[in-house]
Each structure stands twice: as C-alpha cells, then as structure tokens.
Amino acid sequence: MTDKLAIFKGKEIRRTLHNNVWWFVIVDVVAALTDSVNPAGYIKDMRRRDKELAKGWGQIATPLAIETSGGKQKLNCANTEGIFRIIQSIPSPKAEPFKRWLAKVGYERVQEIEDPELATKRTRELYQAKGYSEAWIEKRMRGIAVRAELTEEWKNREVGESREYAILTAEISKAAFGVTPSEYKQLKGLDRENLRDHMGDLELIFSMLGEAATTEITKAHDAQGFDENRDAAHKGGKVAGDARQQLEETSGRKVVSNDNFLEQTEKQKRLGRE
C-alpha cells in the first residue's frame, strides 16, 4: 500500500492505495466537511441518526494501516463510493455542494441510460476540455466503440468479468506491442491514469486493430470460455503486432514509446503561446 495525502478545502485527507483502489480516512473527510472538534464522535452520532448507514457500515468502513504521528495505525477508510454515501449523511452546509453534484451526476447517468448518445457526447466534450485535438478524439472514440464490442463478445462467451478481462487484454497488448498494459504504463511514467488517454495516433490505431481482429477471430472460431478466448486474443494481438513491426521496419521509427501524448500536446500549446 502507498500512503499519500489529498488536499481538500485546505484540509489534508489521508489516503492509501489498497488493491489498486484509493481508500480515504473517514475521520479526515468528516473533519474537512464539518469542522467538528471531535470528528470521531460526529461519526458515531451520524451512524445513530442514519440507521441505513449504520446497517451497511461494515461494508463501507475498512480498517487499513495509515501513517500517523505515532507510526502506522489501523484507521477506518472508505473507497470513493463509500465516501459518497457518508457525505449523503452529513447535514453540514459544506457537504451540500457535494450532494448537489452527486444528484447532478445521478441525473446525467439516468439520461445516458435513456439516450446512450449523450454519454458519447459528454466523453467527447471532456476530451476537448482537456486539450486533445479533434483528430485524436475521433480515434479515441472509435477505439472505445471497438473495445465495447469486444467485451460484449467476451461477456456472451462465458468469460468472467474484471480479472479475466484484464488477462485477455494483456494477451492482446503483449502480442501487439510486446508489453502488457501495466508495463506500458510504466514505460510512459503513468500511475493510475488511463493508458489510452496518453497514447499517440499510431498507438491508438494498433490498439484498435488488435481488439477488432480479436473480435473477428473470436466470432469466426466461435470461441467459448476463457482458454479459447485467450487463444483468440493472442492471435488478434499478433495481427496488430505483425502490422506494427512491418511499419517500424519500413519507416525506421518505433511505435511503442515513452512519449506521453497529452503532455506533449500541452507542451506544444505552451510553446505556441510564448
């Protein structure tokens, strides 16, 4: 686990990375949102008031080792979902902006379920706000659609979610680029950021090719279960890998690099303003 601090409204919120997910010290969050001189007591009162919160407290709060002035100690922590649930039970005016934001996010999610095109539009707007070019966004959005089609195939072919999806994705990446996604992130100096949001044009294109080829091979061979789909993933990734190597040999330039596309874009913009 890696201990770090998050800053909120000038207050330090201790957090720790546990099972690759950020967990936040509950007493710190409550202290930041209530200014209570006794946040631990505030939490007890809050649980007494909110019976449903008290019922689910065992699923929300997890004791994790956190660095304190007296050394490492076990403190109750919650992941992002748990923290949001706790915020809902805080009557403090400081919590109201978060509650309004959560209501807005929930409303937007309902809208997106009713009209999936809204989700695509909002994703595009988010990338635009981050400074990505329209050409890059088009490739990224197409890649999202290709990925969705592949995971839908896996879902319908007796492949378990999460861990098995990650293994199959790593199989494609290893065959396409010679590195797994985690190795690729290390190469680019990324931590928890989305790898594909930091890929350049060719990296996105070969990612799409590997996943699109895997989808086609999976359908053509009617792959069922994890083992057959892993074989299809390797073959699909190899299609992209062979194409990548041919391009690299012809152009004399490597596709896989430690370049961070978003950082490069922001640097170019800064140079343009100088």
Side-chain angles (χ1 to χ4, degrees), residues 172 174-178 206 209-210 234-250 255:
I172 297 171
K174 188 74 175 179
F177 297 109
F206 284 112
L209 176 57
H234 175 76
K235 290 176 179 175
K238 190 173 183 304
V239 169
D242 291 345
R244 173 186 60 79
Q245 289 176 344
Q246 184 176 357
L247 174 62
E248 289 176 338
E249 290 169 4
T250 304
V255 171

Side-chain angles (χ1 to χ4, degrees), residues 2 8 14 35 62 66 116 137 140 144 166 174 194 203 259:
T2 303
F8 170 71
R14 290 167 292 181
D35 286 330
T62 298
I66 300 292
I137 293 172
R140 183 72 178 97
I144 290 172
K174 188 74 175 179
N194 187 300
E203 290 171 306
D259 290 338

